[in-house]
Amino acid sequence: MSVIQDVTQIHQPVLADRCVELLEPALVPVERPVLVDATLGMGGHSELLLQRFPNLKIIGIDRDKDARAVAAKRLEPFKDRLEIVGATYGELEEILAARGLTKIDGILADLGVSSLQLDDPERGFAYSSPEAPLDMRMDQAHGFTVADFLALASPEEIAVVLRTYGEEKFAWQIAKNIVKTRATAPLVTTGELADLIKATIPAPARRHGGNPSKRTFQALRVAINDELHDLENFLAAALRALKVGGRLVIESYQSLEDRLVKAAFSPGIQPEIPKGLPVVPPWAESWLGDLTRGAELADDGEIARNPRSQSVRLRAVEKLREPEKTPQTEDRAHRISQEFPTLARLREETHFDPKTLVEPEKTRRNP
């Protein structure tokens, strides 16, 4: 069995046909449309788009070198219309600028952790692999691990991370037990952390809501990869980068992501209008069209075909006009350094220039 057959069997893109349907009106009228697949992963969505639209060029972004390698192999037949970039989607503005692009026709983002990352026990994303290292970095060439953070952070900071990014009710108890345990020996495997969480959460609370480690593992992954800050940067840049008539489609899998997407879209869909105006002035009219009327969910058939789609929230907008005020990202650096000093320090110590990540992968062309 070939590598491509293996990939297509283990990786089914979520709501792929619906994503294509939503993007199609922005791509078909354009002679040579350009789309950014902001979370290329194993290339499932991009493969379908490149098959459906023969003039489409895709810029695929992914910070995970293993995912980029798999996608490059899978999408080899389309290499003349594909550029793969090693970066995070938070660098979207820099990626487009480096290519002389100011406006593009479509953007797609399938958020969260990929099947490739979850299924590799050495990555430490899954609590079902107890011997795996406590890593969880999406880019293993840079940054710091979950084990690094848990070895240094105060119980207060750990608790805030678990509450903020995982909505964990027992955050304080888990944080205290982490600090107590590391005084004897550091936590180095996913199994050690999962056992600690199970021992900390009361038995009645463990009977509902799935695996008791789910919220803590999510929180730590989101925190060390700076996922929400990255998403905020991406959303603002994506809305600025769309042409009028362009479309942005985003799939979220947890409430924190979906709330940020909704918050980014809402001011364009329903701008605030000063009270008492007899008519709505042009500058106060909607500049985003809500294509999904809120969030769409997967139906029973999609869930049966692809269990990963069970938690998806799909939102899509069309840019109707350029807004009077372009979307901007809040500068959160000071607040983050206050709330999460260990995260901020580790991020600074392992900092690298993101401009080194926005160059394209070398394409595999015959000499």
Side-chain angles (χ1 to χ4, degrees):
M1 188 177 289
S2 72
V3 173
I4 302 304
Q5 287 174 319
D6 284 336
V7 171
T8 55
Q9 285 190 5
I10 66 171
H11 174 245
Q12 295 299 317
V14 172
L15 294 175
D17 288 324
R18 179 58 174 150
C19 289
V20 171
E21 179 186 8
L22 287 164
L23 289 163
E24 183 173 13
L27 306 179
V28 169
V30 182
E31 185 177 353
R32 296 186 182 280
V34 176
L35 177 139
V36 168
D37 185 343
T39 51
L40 181 63
M42 287 186 277
H45 285 99
S46 280
E47 182 179 44
L48 188 56
L49 286 161
L50 289 162
Q51 289 170 346
R52 296 275 185 94
F53 307 109
N55 296 324
L56 175 65
K57 177 181 178 179
I58 288 183
I59 299 171
I61 303 170
D62 207 290
R63 70 171 89 182
D64 189 323
K65 66 179 179 61
D66 294 336
R68 297 197 302 272
V70 171
K73 196 84 169 176
R74 180 179 192 166
L75 302 174
E76 177 75 14
F78 310 101
K79 62 186 178 184
D80 292 333
R81 296 189 286 126
L82 172 71
E83 183 179 354
I84 298 177
V85 183
T88 75
Y89 53 51
E91 272 92 55
L92 176 64
E93 195 160 39
E94 292 88 344
I95 292 166
L96 295 178
R99 285 148 186 80
L101 295 169
T102 56
K103 297 292 181 181
I104 54 176
D105 303 287
I107 303 173
L108 171 67
D110 183 13
L111 306 178
V113 64
S114 74
S115 303
L116 184 69
Q117 292 162 337
L118 284 172
D119 293 341
D120 183 354
E122 292 305 309
R123 303 297 295 273
F125 287 101
Y127 36 78
S128 57
S129 302
E131 299 303 318
L134 266 179
D135 193 326
M136 299 196 208
R137 287 173 298 168
M138 289 186 173
D139 175 8
Q140 289 192 299
H142 302 96
F144 54 95
T145 68
V146 166
D148 294 332
F149 171 67
L150 294 182
L152 297 171
S154 68
E156 290 81 7
E157 183 174 357
I158 296 171
V160 173
V161 164
L162 301 190
R163 279 196 300 268
T164 302
Y165 298 131
E167 301 176 296
E168 173 56 68
K169 294 178 181 178
F170 298 96
W172 178 239
Q173 293 92 324
I174 293 170
K176 285 196 299 183
N177 277 350
I178 287 171
V179 173
K180 180 180 177 181
T181 300
R182 80 185 185 197
T184 304
L187 292 164
V188 295
T189 68
T190 56
E192 290 168 350
L193 180 57
D195 289 343
L196 182 149
I197 295 165
K198 184 178 180 181
T200 303
I201 296 178
R206 297 201 305 268
R207 298 190 188 112
H208 307 283
N211 192 295
S213 296
K214 179 180 179 180
R215 290 178 295 276
T216 292
F217 272 63
Q218 172 189 295
L220 293 170
R221 187 203 83 217
V222 168
I224 72 152
N225 290 293
D226 206 13
E227 290 180 41
L228 297 188
H229 189 204
D230 231 26
L231 179 56
E232 287 180 324
N233 286 337
F234 164 72
L235 289 166
L239 291 172
R240 290 193 297 268
L242 278 183
K243 294 178 180 176
V244 173
R247 293 188 168 201
L248 171 58
V249 176
I250 300 185
E251 295 177 293
S252 307
Y253 296 87
Q254 45 111 332
S255 60
L256 297 174
E257 293 171 341
D258 186 53
R259 270 182 244 153
L260 286 179
V261 176
K262 181 180 178 181
F265 288 176
S266 292
I269 295 169
Q270 291 183 318
E272 288 189 15
I273 302 171
K275 293 181 180 179
L277 292 180
V279 294
V280 178
W283 56 263
E285 292 177 352
S286 299
W287 59 274
L288 291 178
D290 187 357
L291 302 174
T292 51
R293 298 190 179 186
E296 288 185 1
L297 310 179
D299 60 24
D300 291 342
E302 176 77 16
I303 294 170
R305 288 189 298 272
N306 190 351
R308 183 173 174 252
S309 67
Q310 185 167 9
S311 59
V312 72
R313 299 292 183 270
L314 174 66
R315 295 182 188 269
V317 291
E318 178 183 3
K319 194 169 191 177
L320 304 176
R321 63 178 180 85
E322 291 293 345
E324 300 294 320
K325 184 179 180 181
T326 57
Q328 299 295 325
T329 305
E330 176 193 355
D331 183 4
R332 305 189 318 154
H334 178 71
R335 179 167 62 82
I336 289 175
S337 67
Q338 295 295 311
E339 290 183 327
F340 308 115
T342 307
L343 282 175
R345 178 161 60 87
L346 286 169
R347 202 158 280 135
E348 181 66 27
E349 290 174 355
T350 59
H351 176 73
F352 59 95
D353 185 354
K355 292 183 177 61
T356 64
L357 289 181
V358 300
E359 293 304 316
E361 300 284 301
K362 291 184 178 178
T363 51
R364 295 168 173 79
R365 296 184 184 274
N366 293 325

